[in-house]
Amino acid sequence: MCQKTISMCQGKGSLSHNNRAFAAKNIDSSRTADNITFVHQNLRDAYDILFSDAVERYNVRQKRNDRRIPDYFQHLFSREPSASVITGINKQKSFYEDLVQVGTKDDTGVGTPDAEIAVACLREYMGGFSERNPNFYVFNAVMHLDEATPHLHIDYIPVGHFDRGLDTRNAMAKALEEMGYGKGANAINRWRLAEWKVLHQICTAHGIEISEPKKSRGYSYTTGEYGEHQDRIRQLEEEKAQIITEKEEINAALEKAAKKHVKLKEIDSVVTGKTVFGGKITVSKEDWENVTALAKKEVISQKQTKKLCRERDEAIQERNALKARLDAVSSELADYKKKEEDRRHFSRDKLKAESKRISREEELSRELKKVKAFISACGLSSDYQQFRYNSTIKSKNLE
């Protein structure tokens, strides 16, 4: 028996695919009946089991109706549960999925003796998953035997407990902390590495020799490095999502500023009338003083208005430049993920390039924050619309 690899990564989170609600091209439908279902529970029911009591306790303590939570899932995601993962405004996911596989189609293809041993290993691994991870509530888990290689799809909801507010929540960071994996971005990496070691021990006990993941030039990763590389992909995806969200916020702010029109009631309320001597307009002394003051104010503000307009235009140009950079980063990230998926290894040069990429992403995030602050400061650009409207009205009234 040759050495085999263990693959553990975040899945796409498609319950329709996992439960075979439709048949994809890579599926042998004649073998779908061989698939093994460990857990199959409706997502809505899972949320009710996990959070309904906590929501009830929370609502009882609220004195104001607007602070009560009628439905926890709707509260988080503003929609009904679906068969695919939903991501909330705070990057929270409706559920999480992990895909686990032993070997590849070349050395552990379905129907081979090695595949039967791999199935036994994955069964044992899945059997202890919930006990090892008490804060991950598994509501759907399936082993697929109708594709090229046996593999697991494990779908779960992370459960965290809190002293304030809602005491039980969907909370990945808190769940990892309570299970002993600490805080911070590397907590998920530490958890995945621990699970990798568990499956490694199971495979060894079944006579399968597991090799360390190989780099492109023949030297091996340590298990710690392997976990870090998997975590980097996840961090890049989160950074990309954050950039997209911030870009949308900037677009919304610009659109709001463009549509905002403020009318000057002082000019609109000026009472005019023709004199008996001709077509001239007469106004009261008080109204004339108001008009004069507004005219002076507008003249004084012309330079400031032009400056604000120029700054707004520069902000738009910078926003567009950031959009172009975001598109480039997105394309680069997609390319990177495809190569990682196809090759399952990294070279030293690629790791260095990835480090530079992360630095660029961090720089891009900082620039976006500056642009947001800049747009906020340029909120006075609405004065420009105000003065244009004011000038039109004033000219008509003074004719």
Side-chain angles (χ1 to χ4, degrees), residues 254 257-258 306-319 374-375 378 381-382 384-385 388:
L254 285 170
K306 291 179 180 179
K307 179 182 177 182
L308 288 172
C309 184
R310 184 174 62 254
E311 289 176 345
R312 181 198 62 187
D313 293 340
E314 289 174 355
I316 293 174
Q317 292 176 1
E318 188 171 354
R319 188 271 320 268
F374 196 58
I375 292 297
C378 290
S381 61
S382 59
Y384 177 68
Q385 300 294 335
R388 288 184 62 185

Side-chain angles (χ1 to χ4, degrees), residues 175-353:
L176 289 167
E177 181 186 352
E178 290 180 9
M179 291 192 298
Y181 295 102
K183 300 179 180 180
N186 285 327
I188 188 69
N189 174 45
R190 290 188 286 269
W191 170 78
R192 204 179 300 282
L193 178 57
E195 290 295 298
W196 189 94
K197 290 179 179 178
V198 168
L199 186 52
H200 184 286
Q201 293 172 356
I202 292 173
C203 290
T204 301
H206 282 78
I208 297 179
E209 186 178 355
I210 299 296
S211 64
E212 295 289 348
K214 292 291 183 182
K215 297 181 182 179
S216 59
R217 297 186 181 179
Y219 43 87
S220 297
Y221 287 131
T222 65
T223 53
E225 287 177 329
Y226 174 71
E228 288 173 3
H229 298 154
Q230 295 296 321
D231 199 47
R232 254 176 206 173
I233 292 177
R234 180 184 60 79
Q235 290 174 350
L236 281 172
E237 288 175 338
E238 291 177 353
E239 280 290 320
K240 176 182 173 182
Q242 181 180 356
I243 290 171
I244 291 173
T245 300
E246 292 181 350
K247 181 175 72 67
E248 290 174 350
E249 290 175 355
I250 290 173
N251 287 337
L254 285 170
E255 185 177 354
K256 182 178 180 180
K259 291 181 178 180
K260 186 176 180 181
H261 296 281
V262 180
K263 295 184 178 181
L264 297 178
K265 295 182 179 179
E266 292 87 345
I267 290 181
D268 288 342
S269 62
V270 172
V271 178
T272 64
K274 291 186 178 181
T275 66
V276 295
F277 301 103
K280 295 183 179 181
I281 301 297
T282 60
V283 297
S284 69
K285 181 179 180 181
E286 182 180 356
D287 286 339
W288 174 252
E289 289 175 350
N290 287 338
V291 170
T292 303
L294 287 170
K296 290 179 179 179
K297 181 179 178 181
E298 183 175 350
V299 171
I300 295 171
S301 301
Q302 284 298 321
K303 291 184 179 180
Q304 182 182 5
T305 301
K306 291 179 180 179
K307 179 182 177 182
L308 288 172
C309 184
R310 184 174 62 254
E311 289 176 345
R312 181 198 62 187
D313 293 340
E314 289 174 355
I316 293 174
Q317 292 176 1
E318 188 171 354
R319 188 271 320 268
N320 293 338
L322 286 171
K323 181 181 181 298
R325 291 181 63 184
L326 172 61
D327 292 340
V329 168
S330 300
S331 175
E332 198 173 359
L333 175 58
D335 215 24
Y336 172 80
K337 287 177 64 179
K338 184 177 184 302
K339 291 178 181 178
E340 204 278 338
E341 179 68 23
D342 292 342
R343 299 179 185 177
R344 301 286 183 181
H345 60 247
F346 294 79
S347 67
R348 289 185 184 276
D349 292 338
K350 287 181 181 178
L351 287 175
K352 290 179 182 178

Side-chain angles (χ1 to χ4, degrees), residues 14 43 76 80 103 119 183 255 295 299 337 344 358 388 390:
S14 172
L43 181 59
L76 292 181
E80 286 296 314
V119 169
K183 300 179 180 180
E255 185 177 354
V299 171
K337 287 177 64 179
R344 301 286 183 181
I358 292 173
R388 288 184 62 185
N390 180 27

